[in-house]
């Protein structure tokens, strides 16, 4: 007869026999779970390695910013001559990043845009004005397509001619030339201020004064006024899109910031109306465009930075030759207390006009002679 000890041994044996398969299955599950975790970890490591190795080919937006944008701004076009027609040029120029802050170190430049018929008779004066500040400006020249001469190598004007088309006085193609200059200048992301000049313009101050004035300005400089003699050119066929009370007149020679320059070349609504119905649109289009858009007009100073002598009842402004250029005249042009600027609310401590026209080639010698003592360049 089995003793109590034998019965206890038998019970333990039976329990072990029953639990042994369960323990075996549990150990198998634990082993497979370990293998699964190990596979997941290895997979993550391999995936990360592959992603890193392919990063140059499939970069993320963040990596692009870190690898490219933060290091330097996009390089401007090396050759400003191109084969684009106006519609493609304006389309490319109208591209504008929505984020206003730049993710790279950027030195803002002033775009000097020369609208000419041929040569630049005052080029030597401008060469002296620009000398030493090449990193702070860009030059764009729109001239008659029939003019084939080029500036010598080493000149700041060399290679700065853009694809140009014919321009006629008081014709819509003059505004098209202005918009063409703006569009080419907008292709350089570093250009912040855009200044339209003619071949007869001269600077009244040195480069640092003009650059500081423009870059630090919170306003644009488009001459704009509403007077009876300006309204006679309004065409009622512009109604209902452009009303008489929208109509403005002003000097052709403007200065714009980048935002308004973008709005000007991107305009596909108002410009076709002006092109079809307006007389002398170069004196009306941009002043009226700003007045039609309050958010733009509120930032305009309603004055030009280029002095011109229209005299009385002149169809064209007065031109100045060598016999009329002297120290007193140039100093008078530089004064900031003129009635025009006082009426526009200009601070008397600041310059009123930065440029003046029209000066002929015969004035060059005297301008060069007085530049260092009067204009300080």
């Amino acid at each position: 007869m089995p003793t109590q000890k034998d019965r206890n041994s038998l019970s333990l044996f039976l329990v072990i026999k029953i639990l042994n398969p369960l323990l075996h299955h549990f150990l198998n599950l634990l082993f497979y779970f370990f293998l699964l975790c190990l596979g997941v970890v290895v997979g993550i490591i391999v995936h990360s390695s592959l992603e890193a190795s392919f990063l140059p080919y499939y970069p993320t937006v963040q990596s692009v910013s870190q690898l490219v944008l933060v290091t330097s701004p996009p390089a401007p076009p090396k050759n400003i001559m191109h084969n684009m027609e106006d519609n493609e040029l304006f389309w490319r120029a109208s591209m504008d990043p929505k984020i206003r802050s730049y993710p790279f170190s950027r030195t803002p430049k002033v775009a000097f845009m020369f609208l000419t018929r041929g040569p630049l008779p005052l080029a030597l004066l401008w060469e002296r004005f620009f000398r030493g500040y090449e990193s702070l400006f860009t030059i764009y020249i729109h001239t008659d397509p029939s003019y084939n001469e080029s500036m010598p190598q080493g000149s700041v004007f060399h290679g700065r001619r853009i694809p140009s088309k014919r321009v006629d006085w008081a014709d819509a193609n003059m505004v098209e030339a202005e918009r063409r200059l703006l569009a080419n200048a907008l292709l350089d992301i570093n250009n912040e201020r855009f200044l339209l000049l003619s071949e007869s313009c001269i600077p009244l101050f040195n480069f640092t004064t003009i650059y500081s004035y423009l870059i630090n300005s919170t306003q644009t400089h488009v001459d704009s006024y509403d007077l009876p003699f300006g309204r006679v050119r309004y065409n009622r066929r512009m109604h209902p899109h452009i009303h008489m009370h929208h109509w403005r007149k002003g000097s052709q020679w403007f200065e714009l910031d980048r935002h308004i320059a973008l709005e000007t070349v991107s305009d596909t609504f108002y410009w076709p109306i002006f092109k079809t119905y307006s007389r002398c649109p170069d004196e009306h289009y941009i002043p009226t465009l700003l007045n039609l858009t309050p958010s733009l007009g509120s930032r305009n100073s309603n004055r030009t930075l280029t002095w011109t002598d229209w005299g009385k009842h002149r169809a064209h402004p007065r031109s100045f030759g060598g016999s009329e250029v002297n120290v007193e005249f140039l100093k008078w042009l530089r004064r900031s207390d003129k009635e025009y600027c006082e009426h526009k609310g200009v601070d008397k401590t600041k310059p009123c006009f930065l440029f003046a026209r029209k000066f002929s080639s015969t004035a060059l010698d005297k301008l060069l002679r007085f530049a260092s003592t009067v204009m300080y360049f």
Side-chain angles (χ1 to χ4, degrees), residues 167-187:
V167 173
D168 300 294
W169 181 75
D171 194 271
N173 57 22
M174 184 171 288
V175 178
E176 290 178 333
E178 295 172 4
R179 298 176 81 230
R180 200 172 294 123
L181 280 163
L182 282 171
N184 278 275
L186 282 167
L187 295 178

Side-chain angles (χ1 to χ4, degrees), residues 267-287:
D267 173 32
T268 58
F269 183 77
Y270 291 112
W271 171 237
I273 300 173
F274 270 89
K275 185 177 180 180
T276 304
Y277 298 117
S278 175
R279 288 185 295 155
C280 300
D282 56 298
E283 296 181 352
H284 296 280
Y285 170 60
I286 295 182

